Amino acid sequence: MKTVLLFKVFLLSAFIGMGTMAAAQKPVNWSKDDLMEPAVLAQAIANNKNPYTVISIGPGALIPGSIDIGATDNLVTLQKLKGELTKLKKDTPVVVYCGCCPFAYCPNVRPAIDMLKQEKFTNYKLLNLPRSIKADWLDKGYPRVTL
């Protein structure tokens, strides 16, 4: 009986693991040209010359002046992002960022990029936070919202 139970637990774990790996292996929907290096945005903010509409699509808006949409891994928040985008011209310089986890696992960046493409935005960037906002922004001493 214990063997059967252990086998079932093993199978369930294997299926969950495969699902996680499949989600992590979704192809990226942005190119290298669509990425903005954090130092570029940080410098623009530090110089008070930020020409970008910066949108947080993750769990918190830590970059000064960014619009906090929330995690775009669900339809409700994606509609909130769409509503925010309708206020902008299609050629507005937009930067979206999450930073909750590495890009390979992030549930928020792909839906947000899809929304920008769907809404026919032509001048958008994904802030290049491949590891996390902590490692790629905060630990580098870039401008942050003080809590």
Side-chain angles (χ1 to χ4, degrees):
M1 190 69 152
K2 269 188 171 177
T3 305
V4 172
L5 179 61
L6 286 173
F7 183 70
K8 287 181 180 180
V9 169
F10 171 77
L11 280 178
L12 180 62
S13 298
F15 283 119
I16 291 171
M18 286 174 22
T20 302
M21 284 178 22
Q25 293 176 358
K26 284 184 182 176
V28 298
N29 57 354
W30 63 88
S31 71
K32 191 175 184 179
D33 292 338
D34 295 329
L35 294 175
M36 172 182 277
E37 291 307 313
V40 173
L41 181 59
Q43 189 66 48
I45 292 169
N47 291 339
N48 291 319
K49 295 181 181 178
N50 183 5
Y52 309 102
T53 297
V54 183
I55 302 174
S56 172
I57 54 166
L62 297 176
I63 296 176
S66 59
I67 299 165
D68 189 3
I69 295 297
T72 55
D73 63 349
N74 64 77
L75 191 55
V76 172
T77 315
L78 272 175
Q79 288 304 315
K80 186 176 175 185
L81 173 60
K82 184 176 183 176
E84 214 41 64
L85 294 175
T86 60
K87 300 174 187 176
L88 306 172
K89 292 181 180 180
K90 303 295 184 191
D91 63 346
T92 299
V94 174
V95 177
V96 294
Y97 73 95
C98 180
C100 70
C101 60
F103 278 159
Y105 302 103
C106 184
N108 302 310
V109 293
R110 287 164 185 80
I113 296 296
D114 282 343
M115 179 63 69
L116 285 159
K117 289 178 179 182
Q118 176 186 320
E119 294 300 307
K120 300 190 181 350
F121 274 75
T122 59
N123 196 10
Y124 65 86
K125 297 288 183 186
L126 171 61
L127 191 60
N128 194 11
L129 305 172
R131 294 175 294 165
S132 70
I133 193 158
K134 180 182 181 325
D136 301 315
W137 185 273
L138 299 175
D139 288 353
K140 294 182 186 247
Y142 294 145
R144 64 177 292 171
V145 171
T146 53
L147 303 174

